[in-house]
Amino acid sequence: LGKSINLSFMIRSYVKRLGRISPRQRSGLDLRLASYQLPVPQSDNPWNFLSLFGTNAKIVLEIGFGMGASMVTMAEANPEILFIGIEVHDAGVGSLAADLHDNNIGNVFIAPYDAMEVFHHALPDNSLDGIQIFFPDPWPKTRHHKRRLIQPDFVKLLSAKLVPHGFLHCATDWQHYAEQMLRVLSQEIALSNTYKHGGFADMRHSRPLTKFEKRGEKLGHGIWDLYFLKN
Ligand SMILES: C[S@@+](CC[C@H](N)C(=O)[O-])C[C@H]1O[C@@H](n2cnc3c(N)ncnc32)[C@H](O)[C@@H]1O
C-alpha cells in the first residue's frame, strides 16, 4: 500500500533471440548504427520528422524487418522515399546498419525498439505514407494468439499514424493468421481494402522476397498479402 503499482508487464509480440552475432553484425551495432538510429521513444515527446530529417519527404515504415534485406532493396529502388525500419533482433539491426554503410544508403533510419513503444510514444498522428508488416511472428498456438501484432487496438493505432490514403501492407505465410488479418483490417473503419471482393491482394511480386517468405515457401506454405488504404 502506498507504493505505486508496476504496470510494466505487457504481452510482447516477440521473444528476443539470443543467437550468435557475427563480427560484421557486431561492428554494425557498435560502429554504424548510431548514424541511422532514431531517438529512444519517450512518452509526450514524439519524433519531429522535419527536424530529424530536414525534409518533408514521404515516409514508409516497416515493422519487424528481420535481417533488413527488404529495407535495402526498397530504399535503393526509391531514393526519394525515407524508410524507417523497426526491429528488436540485434543480429538483424547490426546487419542492416552494416549494409546501409557499405552500400552508402542514406534514406533508411533504424528504430531498434519494440514497435508498441514506437507507435504509442514516438510517432505523430498522420505522419506515415505507408506501413509494411511482412511475415510477422505467426504465434501458431491458440494460447499465444494474443501475442500477434495484428489485433484491433493496434490496427487502430497504425491507422491513426497513416496520412489519408496512406497504405498498410501485410503479408504472411500462415493461413490462420492471414484470415485474422483480413478480419481485423476489414473491421477497422478507418481502412478500406483495395482488393476486389474484399479479399487478399495480388502483391506478392511487388515487394522484395524476404528470408521468412523463402522459409515459408520451403515448408510448402501459401503466401497471403493484404493491402489496405486509410480513408
Ligand atoms: C518472423 S520475423 C520476419 C522478418 C522479416 N520481415 C522477414 O520476412 O524475413 C518477424 C520479426 O519481427 C520482429 N518483431 C516482432 N515483434 C516486434 C515488435 N513488437 N517490435 C519490433 N520488432 C518485432 C522479430 O524480432 C522478428 O525479427
Side-chain angles (χ1 to χ4, degrees):
L1 280 179
K3 279 190 183 165
S4 64
I5 299 166
N6 181 359
L7 293 176
S8 62
F9 169 79
M10 81 188 209
I11 298 166
R12 294 200 191 281
S13 61
Y14 59 89
V15 173
K16 265 220 150 193
R17 284 170 277 159
L18 295 173
R20 200 179 90 83
I21 294 201
S22 73
R24 183 169 184 275
Q25 291 161 349
R26 183 79 263 157
S27 84
L29 288 169
D30 294 346
L31 304 177
R32 308 301 179 205
L33 177 58
S35 312
Y36 307 101
Q37 184 170 359
L38 287 165
V40 177
Q42 287 178 315
S43 43
D44 304 324
N45 190 15
W47 294 333
N48 179 328
F49 288 135
L50 187 57
S51 71
L52 282 169
F53 303 144
T55 154
N56 271 323
K58 287 190 172 181
I59 298 175
V60 171
L61 177 147
E62 181 164 336
I63 300 177
F65 60 70
M67 300 311 283
S70 60
M71 304 284 315
V72 170
T73 309
M74 291 185 301
E76 285 188 321
N78 302 281
E80 74 292 354
I81 296 178
L82 292 178
F83 290 87
I84 295 177
I86 304 180
E87 180 53 73
V88 287
H89 180 42
D90 288 340
V93 170
S95 181
L96 178 59
D99 286 345
L100 296 178
H101 175 266
D102 292 353
N103 295 293
N104 208 8
I105 296 172
N107 57 330
V108 176
F109 295 86
I110 302 178
Y113 316 117
D114 185 337
M116 291 291 166
E117 286 172 29
V118 173
F119 273 84
H120 277 285
H121 301 307
L123 290 167
D125 285 351
N126 296 303
S127 63
L128 303 174
D129 292 89
I131 299 173
Q132 315 182 143
I133 310 179
F134 297 153
F135 304 90
D137 297 291
W139 294 108
K141 293 185 180 143
T142 307
R143 69 171 195 279
H144 287 150
H145 285 176
K146 57 182 181 284
R147 286 174 165 260
R148 288 178 172 173
L149 267 180
I150 301 297
Q151 313 268 357
D153 286 352
F154 191 54
V155 168
K156 191 166 277 314
L157 188 60
L158 295 177
S159 313
K161 305 304 169 185
L162 286 172
V163 299
H165 312 301
F167 70 83
L168 174 59
H169 184 178
C170 302
T172 182
D173 64 334
W174 196 255
Q175 184 170 1
H176 185 277
Y177 198 8
E179 286 161 5
Q180 173 174 339
M181 288 177 174
L182 186 57
R183 207 167 45 245
V184 172
L185 268 52
S186 302
Q187 280 167 3
E188 172 48 58
I189 49 165
L191 299 175
S192 299
N193 194 343
T194 56
Y195 270 76
K196 289 183 243 74
H197 318 303
F200 293 102
D202 182 16
M203 299 278 299
R204 225 181 137 172
H205 302 291
S206 67
R207 56 175 168 72
L209 184 67
T210 71
K211 182 175 163 189
F212 274 82
E213 178 169 7
K214 281 184 216 156
R215 183 172 161 271
E217 280 182 330
K218 266 196 205 133
L219 294 169
H221 296 175
I223 306 288
W224 292 268
D225 278 81
L226 301 97
Y227 194 84
F228 280 62
L229 293 181
K230 181 169 171 176
N231 297 322

